[in-house]
Amino acid sequence: MAQAVNFLPWRARQQRRCLRIWITIFSASLLLIVLLATVLRMYALQENQRLTWVQQAGVTLQAGLAQRQTRLLAQQA
């Protein structure tokens, strides 16, 4: 009579290997999501800073133009 083969250790190793693969995939996905969120946040902060600088430059230019207009009107009068 043929002796029965025990596949239980092989199945346990296969399950551990499969679990390790899924944990790796999940961890890599989570890391990628966190990385993308960080990059998007940094981009948004830089864009906000740039817009603030543009707004300040516009205010400065507007004040300079108002001064010039006042001087030109005074010279014309």
Side-chain angles (χ1 to χ4, degrees), residues 60-74:
T60 304
L61 284 174
Q62 196 171 15
L65 287 174
Q67 274 184 340
R68 235 183 218 177
Q69 184 181 17
T70 305
R71 271 189 277 139
L72 286 175
L73 289 175

Side-chain angles (χ1 to χ4, degrees), residues 27-72:
S27 299
S29 299
L30 189 62
L31 181 64
L32 183 62
I33 289 170
V34 169
L35 183 65
L36 284 174
T38 303
V39 167
L40 287 175
R41 177 150 171 77
M42 295 302 285
Y43 176 77
L45 289 173
Q46 286 178 347
E47 187 67 17
N48 190 21
Q49 184 68 35
R50 188 185 68 79
L51 289 174
T52 303
W53 288 341
V54 167
Q55 185 180 14
Q56 288 172 351
V59 168
T60 304
L61 284 174
Q62 196 171 15
L65 287 174
Q67 274 184 340
R68 235 183 218 177
Q69 184 181 17
T70 305
R71 271 189 277 139
L72 286 175

